[in-house]
């Protein structure tokens, strides 16, 4: 025997409302149509669903049991509807985001946490990669969004780029570094100390070479390379080594008071950090909603970063 789920839902509405007319109003049906459905269900099971001539309407033991099943069906139906609506609104789903390690660790992971505090039904998969790797991941449908820096070369084919922050690099050292005591700090003094090199393939590595070129005949003594952001901060805080970092990354880590910025001019790159995604309408509403959240977060953060940066005395 197969019972109609619609009939069970209608039965539960009548039992809960206490009358056929109120149940019909709750379901948006006419009373005659609902009465026919109940009669069909009763004929199907072969037993009465309501006690005859009882007012107000009272279900039999069988009617109560079937109504309970109807309530569960209705609840699951509503949950399924809400799940679909949440997916379409972008408040539920999975977002796969990849990008350059230092920014992902220092900034994007915090933004993900803030977003999930507002939308706990959105899950995230975070991965690391530079521009080419992220672009390949987007084209292969392994990523929804990329957080990468992009220079004057323009957007890779088939991908759209939304700039969120202009690049600004600084030289960092441990708090209490000897160079912090210099009254007039010049780029030439940067060659007196060892250096930390960024990850291979990172745009920061090319920026480090630009610093080396600006020093003329002075070469850089690179003692440590290839570490994560945490390992670079740990290494800097225990040595007199120097490292080039995006100012925004240092800004995100500033409250730890482990590393400091040296007020010295260095060559600056012509690029922006931004969101990379496939051209065309977004296939993942949750990823599109998160991208908007990232843009808004950086708009707010940029004002704080600029105010903080203006408070530093840059010697030119």
């Amino acid at each position: 025997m197969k019972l109609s789920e619609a009939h069970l839902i209608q039965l539960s509405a009548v039992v809960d409302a206490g009358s056929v007319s109120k149940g019909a109003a709750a379901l948006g049906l006419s009373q005659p149509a609902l009465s026919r459905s109940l009669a069909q269900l009763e004929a199907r099971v072969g037993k009465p669903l309501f006690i005859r001539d009882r007012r107000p309407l009272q279900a039999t033991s069988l009617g109560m049991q079937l109504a309970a099943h109807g309530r569960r069906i209705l609840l699951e139906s509503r949950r399924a509807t809400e799940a679909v609506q949440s997916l379409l609104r972008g408040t539920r789903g999975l977002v796969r985001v990849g990008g350059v390690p230092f920014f992902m660790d220092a900034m994007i992971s915090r933004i993900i946490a803030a977003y999930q505090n507002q939308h706990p039904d959105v899950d995230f998969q975070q991965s690391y990669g530079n521009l080419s790797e992220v672009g390949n991941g987007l084209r292969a449908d392994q990523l929804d969004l990329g957080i990468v820096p992009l220079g004057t070369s323009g957007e890779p084919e088939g991908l759209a780029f939304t700039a969120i922050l202009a690049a600004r690099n600084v030289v960092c050292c441990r708090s209490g570094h000897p160079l912090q005591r210099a009254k007039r700090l010049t780029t030439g003094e940067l060659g007196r100390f060892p250096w930390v090199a960024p990850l291979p393939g990172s745009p920061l590595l090319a920026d480090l070479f630009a610093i080396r070129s600006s020093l003329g005949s002075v070469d850089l003594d690179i003692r440590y390379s290839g570490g994560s952001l945490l390992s670079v901060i740990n290494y800097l805080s225990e040595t007199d080594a120097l490292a080039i970092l995006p100012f925004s990354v240092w800004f995100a880590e500033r409250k730890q008071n482990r590393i400091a910025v040296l007020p010295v001019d260095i060559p600056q790159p012509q690029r922006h950090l931004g969101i990379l995604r496939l051209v065309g309408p977004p296939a993942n509403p949750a990823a599109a909603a998160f991208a908007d959240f990232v843009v808004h977060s950086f708009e707010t953060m940029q004002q704080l970063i600029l105010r903080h940066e203006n408070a530093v005395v840059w010697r030119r």
Side-chain angles (χ1 to χ4, degrees):
M1 176 189 300
K2 178 173 174 56
L3 302 180
S4 167
E5 289 86 352
H7 287 171
L8 295 176
I9 291 174
Q10 292 164 358
L11 173 62
S12 68
V14 171
V15 171
D16 291 342
S19 73
V20 176
S21 59
K22 291 181 180 178
L27 294 171
L29 299 174
S30 68
Q31 182 172 338
L34 182 54
S35 296
R36 285 194 298 271
S37 294
L38 293 177
Q40 291 170 1
L41 178 59
E42 202 168 59
R44 184 69 173 167
V45 299
K47 290 180 179 290
L49 301 177
F50 295 94
I51 299 175
R52 302 301 181 190
D53 302 323
R54 179 67 61 89
R55 295 291 181 271
L57 196 64
Q58 183 177 341
T60 63
S61 176
L62 176 61
M64 294 293 290
Q65 293 180 44
L66 293 181
H69 289 294
R71 289 188 200 97
R72 286 195 288 271
I73 295 171
L74 180 60
L75 177 61
E76 291 303 319
S77 175
R78 288 172 176 170
R79 286 175 175 171
T81 300
E82 174 59 28
V84 171
Q85 292 175 344
S86 297
L87 286 169
L88 295 176
R89 291 194 304 265
T91 56
R92 181 189 298 267
L94 172 66
V95 178
R96 302 163 300 171
V97 55
V100 286
F102 284 5
F103 280 109
M104 296 300 292
D105 288 346
M107 308 179 80
I108 301 302
S109 60
R110 288 183 168 95
I111 293 176
I112 289 174
Y115 189 79
Q116 282 188 316
N117 286 337
Q118 299 181 23
H119 305 288
D121 292 328
V122 179
D123 298 326
F124 283 84
Q125 288 180 355
Q126 178 180 308
S127 58
Y128 300 103
N130 293 317
L131 177 60
S132 61
E133 298 163 327
V134 169
N136 291 336
L138 289 167
R139 296 187 188 95
D141 194 28
Q142 297 170 344
L143 291 173
D144 299 302
L145 300 172
I147 309 295
V148 293
L150 187 65
T152 56
S153 58
E155 301 164 339
E157 185 178 357
L159 300 176
F161 183 78
T162 304
I164 54 178
L165 187 67
R168 170 66 164 151
N169 292 335
V170 290
V171 176
C172 291
C173 63
R174 67 173 175 85
S175 297
H177 193 281
L179 287 181
Q180 286 187 290
R181 298 192 292 269
K183 292 183 178 180
R184 294 184 61 84
L185 184 58
T186 64
T187 54
E189 294 177 88
L190 301 180
R192 294 170 41 208
F193 294 88
W195 278 77
V196 174
L199 291 166
S202 168
L204 285 174
L205 191 58
D207 299 341
L208 181 60
F209 292 152
I211 293 177
R212 184 174 64 181
S213 299
S214 71
L215 298 179
S217 59
V218 178
D219 202 0
L220 296 182
D221 177 17
I222 297 177
R223 301 270 186 91
Y224 181 76
S225 63
S228 65
L229 177 61
L230 178 59
S231 63
V232 168
I233 292 175
N234 287 339
Y235 184 84
L236 286 180
S237 64
E238 298 296 331
T239 68
D240 282 340
L242 307 176
I244 181 172
L245 291 176
F247 186 86
S248 53
V249 169
W250 173 84
F251 179 83
E253 300 292 328
R254 71 193 185 285
K255 293 183 180 179
Q256 297 185 35
N257 294 320
R258 301 180 67 193
I259 57 175
V261 173
L262 291 174
V264 59
D265 265 339
I266 55 174
Q268 293 296 329
Q270 298 299 310
R271 62 173 179 265
H272 284 78
L273 180 71
I275 302 172
L276 196 66
R277 49 193 148 182
L278 290 174
V279 171
N284 183 346
F290 176 67
D292 292 340
F293 186 82
V294 171
V295 171
H296 177 72
S297 298
F298 270 87
E299 287 174 351
T300 303
M301 191 185 309
Q302 191 166 25
Q303 299 303 316
L304 297 174
I305 291 173
L306 288 175
R307 282 203 298 269
H308 196 86
E309 186 176 2
N310 291 335
V312 179
V313 180
W314 301 103
R315 309 204 193 285
R316 299 184 178 275

